[in-house]
Amino acid sequence: MARRGAFSSLLSGLLVLLFLILVSAVTYDHQDKQVYIIYMGSLPSRVDYTPMSHHMSILQEVARESSIEGRLLRSYKRSFNGFAARLTESERERIADIEGVVSVFPNKKLKLQTTASWDFMGLKEGKGTKRNPSVESDTIIGVFDGGIWPESESFTDKGFGPPPKKWKGICAGGKNFTCNNKLIGARHYSPGDARDSSGHGTHTASIAAGNAVANTSFFGIGTGTVRGAVPASRIAAYRVCAGECRDDAILSAFDDAIADGVDIITISIGDISVYPFEKDPIAIGAFHAMSKGILTVNAAGNTGPDTASITSLAPWMLTVAASTANREFVSKVVLGDGKTLVGKSVNGFDLKGKKFPLVYGKSAASSPSQVECAKQLSTQEIQDCTPDCLDASLVKGKILVCNRFFPYVAYKKGAVAAIFEDDLDWAQINGLPVSGLQEDDFESFLSYIKSAKSPEAAVLKSEAIFYKTAPKVLSFSSRGPNIIVADILKPDVTAPGLEILAANSPKASPFYDTTCVKYSVESGTSMSCPHVAGIAAYIKTFHPKWSPSMIKSAIMTTAWSMNASQSDYASTEFAYGAGHVDPIAATNPGLVYDLTKGDYIAFLCGMNYNKTTVKLISGEAVTCTEKISPRNLNYPSMSAKLSGSNISFTVTFNRTVTNVGTPNSTYKSKVVLNHGTKLNVKVSPSVLSMNSMNEKQSFTVTVSGSELHSELPSSANLIWSDGTHNVKSPIVVYTGDFSPPSSS
């Protein structure tokens, strides 16, 4: 199975690809000839076939000239057949009628697409985005993860000057580990070195702050420019995970990173269980980082869509959910009758469109031992391809079809490919060609298997498709509500976490062998988290003196609005928080909700933590002379949990905003109800008149209503607008008893 083979019968798909990649403004020469692509499909299998000679003869035939010097520009002769040539309009018409020519289309120039997520959010490459290069170069992102691969092109230091003067860290990556002026520091907290063996840390670091690297792909899938939000910034890698991510290592990394002088910390790590703040190393470390002006961005977790599954709950951290962007990878299945089904997969294998026999469920369990095994299992379990019941001799060389899928088992049993029913909303990389079909398509596929005399199919190499639908939170993304502080809405925001192409460690093979790839595709809140860390760093390049809470507020209050996709808690603000991040708008939010270390201590006191517990979190003795109820913490979102659903209620939220937009500005309040709720929301005062920069003004939001829905929160958005800025805060009122899902 060639991973980088010719497209062969798949090559008709290259018609579209070539049209997109091969370039702008139509060009003409002095004889009024235009450059065209003559696409001829697959290369003939004849040994005596010489593509260039054939191309020249075709060109001579249509040109009707003895000399065609300068007419043939490019000959495609390795993976597919065709050529580029200068033709007149009449020559184009004649060449289109020649046998073997599939299509003829003009040569256009389009800019290479990036690997999608940053363009999707409006953070364009190069001059398409406003930047502050000198400050960006002084910005340091600390990456707490499984290490980093320092030799990756995403971390080369070409064009970089020396590290910022504020940098106090070291390069202690271990033997044969070298830092540079891009990757300025590395530490590890277990035996070995800071090298990444899983690929996870390299991936997340490149999403946040990797260099712009053109023409990257995963075996030709998703070709474009991979880059971070702030490519000119510096990276410090802290390897806190080596097989496992220990609390002591995480706290050590916070200790080091704060002293080293990082500006932002991204940590795509979490637990499946919820711990109180005083026992949560990430919450404790992030509190200390916050007190030193460093924002910690944390992944929401991948235990969704269960309610109350989120474990990143502290208000001084920025918690990120994962959602779709505008691209996904699909792998088509071509049946023996010619019908094509579209499935999910990140399939880098090219089987050249060849069809193979299909074997399904019980048909792969016919030897005596397998029959005995089958007697002990239900029909459903057999159709699920339970590993012990698969006969390798019946699977080898065929496409294995399963209701569920065990990719490694299919690989070990010798299947050439696999097709299975897949209800997930994200695609995976597997060690063999795979396509996951949605329920309706899978049922159609099974009908074909039952009706065909000799059912067969081809699993095609994956391709990227783009769409324009609004982003949706992915099923795996952990959901709220917050079971430690019910009146603090979590997650805070959502960002792209679907099938993100980014740098990889050569030690981390995406398959079941030793294949190395420099860039790979991953999904998860681990991917959405560094997107937001990169955005936070981007904001900081324009506002270096902003506090962590001001940066967090800017990201939350400028987020795109999202709508509940289903009628349950898991598809509402408990999935996406304030909405989907908008990096450009976040640099100019107009107003921000600021918080200090003292405010957070008063908040902890307001939770009735005793001074001993508060000291465990803050690291200092406090007296709790001031208390702030969680509902009145100056948070950019507003949330209140009520004791019952069949009651009349009135709740109030006290907030203070700081003017960071323009002096002499007037903000008017507007309330937009969501989810068809019938809340009464009053804002007092309803107009805020700012006379100077950094001026603070307070207001109260009073929410009243009755008969809350037991399965859906009642919510609204408060928007302060001066005609230029729209400062949006979600308001969520809910009821119900929630406990985290079982970790068993």
Side-chain angles (χ1 to χ4, degrees):
M1 295 181 292
R3 297 191 181 101
R4 296 184 182 87
F7 276 97
S8 67
S9 62
L10 254 181
L11 287 176
S12 58
L14 276 178
L15 172 62
V16 176
L17 185 59
L18 282 171
F19 187 78
L20 290 173
I21 327 179
L22 290 163
V23 255
S24 131
V26 179
T27 56
Y28 294 86
D29 65 11
H30 64 283
Q31 295 179 314
D32 198 27
K33 295 183 182 70
Q34 182 178 341
V35 177
Y36 288 93
I37 305 297
I38 298 87
Y39 173 64
M40 301 176 66
S42 303
L43 283 165
S45 57
R46 300 195 322 268
V47 177
D48 62 342
Y49 181 78
T50 54
M52 184 172 287
S53 297
H54 189 203
H55 303 159
M56 293 283 285
S57 65
I58 291 174
L59 195 52
Q60 282 185 322
E61 179 182 344
V62 298
R64 298 172 182 172
E65 298 173 356
S66 58
S67 174
I68 56 171
E69 183 179 356
R71 300 284 292 273
L72 182 66
L73 302 179
R74 195 177 301 274
S75 187
Y76 307 110
K77 53 185 183 290
R78 299 184 66 190
S79 299
F80 57 91
N81 198 9
F83 59 100
R86 289 190 173 92
L87 303 172
T88 64
E89 177 59 21
S90 61
E91 290 168 349
R92 183 201 66 79
E93 293 174 355
R94 289 197 298 273
I95 209 168
D97 293 330
I98 290 179
E99 184 177 353
V101 173
V102 176
S103 62
V104 181
F105 52 91
N107 188 31
K108 294 183 176 291
K109 288 185 178 180
L110 297 178
K111 292 181 178 179
L112 280 171
Q113 295 295 316
T114 70
T115 52
S117 56
W118 291 118
D119 269 7
F120 170 67
M121 292 186 286
L123 201 63
K124 305 292 184 180
E125 188 178 2
K127 295 181 180 179
T129 294
K130 181 182 177 182
R131 292 192 179 274
N132 195 343
S134 60
V135 181
E136 185 171 320
S137 182
D138 283 344
T139 302
I140 306 167
I141 297 181
V143 182
F144 292 14
D145 214 293
I148 196 167
W149 194 260
E151 291 83 9
S152 171
E153 196 173 351
S154 289
F155 313 127
T156 61
D157 65 352
K158 183 179 180 180
F160 281 82
K165 292 181 179 179
K166 65 183 179 182
W167 174 243
K168 306 299 182 184
I170 59 174
C171 184
K175 187 178 180 180
N176 298 322
F177 188 106
T178 304
C179 298
N180 57 33
N181 287 330
K182 170 69 176 181
L183 176 60
I184 59 174
R187 298 176 186 269
H188 60 99
Y189 302 93
S190 59
D193 55 32
R195 283 192 180 275
D196 177 17
S197 58
S198 69
H200 194 275
T202 302
H203 204 271
T204 57
S206 70
I207 291 171
N211 297 326
V213 183
N215 296 317
T216 56
S217 70
F218 179 76
F219 294 109
I221 304 168
T223 302
T225 299
V226 168
R227 59 189 169 92
V230 279
S233 66
R234 318 301 178 109
I235 294 171
Y238 300 82
R239 189 182 188 192
V240 297
C241 301
E244 57 185 7
C245 310
R246 302 190 330 270
D247 289 0
D248 62 321
I250 291 170
L251 283 172
S252 293
F254 272 110
D255 188 35
D256 285 332
I258 294 167
D260 288 346
V262 304
D263 295 291
I264 303 291
I265 292 171
T266 178
I267 178 166
S268 292
I269 300 169
D271 205 305
I272 60 173
S273 300
V274 175
Y275 295 98
F277 296 149
E278 70 272 17
K279 295 182 180 180
D280 181 346
I282 298 177
I284 294 169
F287 190 96
H288 287 272
M290 172 275 302
S291 68
K292 297 296 184 180
I294 303 165
L295 175 63
T296 299
V297 184
N298 190 207
N302 299 326
T303 54
D306 292 333
T307 54
S309 55
I310 192 167
T311 59
S312 174
L313 302 175
W316 48 86
M317 298 190 296
L318 179 49
T319 305
V320 187
S323 48
T324 61
N326 64 339
R327 182 188 72 180
E328 65 179 9
F329 296 125
V330 300
S331 181
K332 295 178 180 177
V333 175
V334 181
L335 307 184
D337 61 7
K339 183 177 180 180
T340 298
L341 303 174
V342 179
K344 283 186 172 296
S345 178
V346 185
N347 173 28
F349 296 91
D350 185 3
L351 298 181
K352 304 178 181 179
K354 183 178 178 180
K355 294 184 175 68
F356 292 88
L358 301 168
V359 59
Y360 172 57
K362 197 171 184 178
S363 301
S366 62
S367 71
S369 61
Q370 270 75 31
V371 170
E372 189 62 33
C373 172
K375 289 179 181 178
Q376 301 173 25
L377 300 174
S378 67
T379 300
Q380 182 64 50
E381 288 174 311
I382 297 170
Q383 292 171 345
D384 286 349
C385 298
T386 300
D388 292 341
C389 285
L390 286 176
D391 186 333
S393 66
L394 298 175
V395 173
K396 188 174 182 180
K398 298 178 182 179
I399 296 177
L400 180 62
V401 179
C402 306
N403 286 25
R404 292 177 60 210
F405 185 49
F406 303 92
Y408 184 67
V409 173
Y411 173 79
K412 292 294 287 185
K413 295 289 185 179
V416 71
I419 299 169
F420 65 106
E421 183 176 354
D422 183 12
D423 59 356
L424 300 177
D425 50 7
W426 51 285
Q428 302 180 67
I429 297 173
N430 292 287
L432 73 169
V434 164
S435 184
L437 301 176
Q438 294 291 309
E439 183 179 0
D440 289 346
D441 282 341
F442 190 72
E443 289 302 320
S444 175
F445 178 56
L446 293 184
S447 297
Y448 161 73
I449 293 176
K450 293 174 183 177
S451 62
K453 185 176 180 180
S454 300
E456 61 177 5
V459 177
L460 305 187
K461 184 176 180 179
S462 290
E463 58 186 276
I465 61 171
F466 290 83
Y467 48 87
K468 294 184 178 180
T469 57
K472 292 183 178 180
V473 176
L474 293 155
S475 60
F476 58 71
S477 186
S478 296
R479 265 62 169 184
N482 187 330
I483 63 169
I484 291 183
V485 197
D487 288 354
I488 297 294
L489 180 65
K490 288 287 181 172
D492 293 307
V493 289
T494 187
L498 176 67
E499 298 157 21
I500 304 299
L501 178 66
N504 186 57
S505 165
K507 286 188 176 181
S509 173
F511 308 122
Y512 305 128
D513 54 22
T514 57
T515 301
C516 296
V517 294
K518 294 181 178 180
Y519 292 86
S520 190
V521 176
E522 300 287 349
S523 296
T525 55
S526 287
M527 285 67 247
S528 59
C529 174
H531 275 95
V532 178
I535 292 170
Y538 179 68
I539 295 168
K540 196 169 182 67
T541 65
F542 294 97
H543 308 286
K545 295 183 179 180
W546 277 13
S547 68
S549 61
M550 293 171 78
I551 294 173
K552 178 177 177 177
S553 174
I555 292 172
M556 291 176 65
T557 61
T558 59
W560 302 339
S561 295
M562 295 181 70
N563 296 316
S565 56
Q566 298 175 9
S567 57
D568 58 22
Y569 273 89
S571 64
T572 63
E573 288 84 0
F574 295 133
Y576 50 75
H580 190 289
V581 290
D582 182 343
I584 303 301
T587 63
N588 184 22
L591 304 173
V592 293
Y593 296 83
D594 196 9
L595 284 163
T596 65
K597 176 183 176 181
D599 293 327
Y600 287 120
I601 289 175
F603 154 81
L604 292 171
C605 293
M607 290 181 64
N608 295 321
Y609 281 16
N610 60 39
K611 59 184 181 181
T612 301
T613 304
V614 175
K615 185 178 180 180
L616 289 173
I617 300 168
S618 67
E620 61 185 54
V622 297
T623 57
C624 279
T625 55
E626 182 183 359
K627 294 184 178 182
I628 298 176
S629 70
R631 193 173 296 176
N632 287 322
L633 183 69
N634 200 37
Y635 212 66
S637 59
M638 305 172 204
S639 178
K641 180 184 178 184
L642 304 182
S643 58
S645 57
N646 297 318
I647 59 171
S648 296
F649 62 87
T650 299
V651 295
T652 59
F653 303 94
N654 298 319
R655 293 292 187 271
T656 299
V657 288
T658 302
N659 181 28
V660 294
T662 56
N664 301 314
S665 54
T666 299
Y667 286 85
K668 297 180 180 179
S669 63
K670 176 183 178 181
V671 174
V672 179
L673 299 180
N674 299 327
H675 316 315
T677 54
K678 299 179 180 179
L679 297 176
N680 297 310
V681 182
K682 181 180 178 181
V683 184
S684 179
S686 60
V687 177
L688 300 177
S689 296
M690 299 290 187
N691 299 311
S692 61
M693 295 293 290
N694 299 312
E695 180 180 351
K696 296 179 183 291
Q697 289 203 26
S698 299
F699 62 92
T700 299
V701 177
T702 304
V703 183
S704 59
S706 61
E707 297 184 359
L708 289 173
H709 198 299
S710 61
E711 296 182 359
L712 198 67
S714 295
S715 67
N717 281 316
L718 166 63
I719 303 171
W720 288 104
S721 179
D722 65 350
T724 300
H725 307 93
N726 292 296
V727 187
K728 178 174 65 69
S729 293
I731 303 169
V732 179
V733 181
Y734 68 104
T735 186
D737 294 322
F738 297 96
S739 59
S742 172
S743 59
S744 60

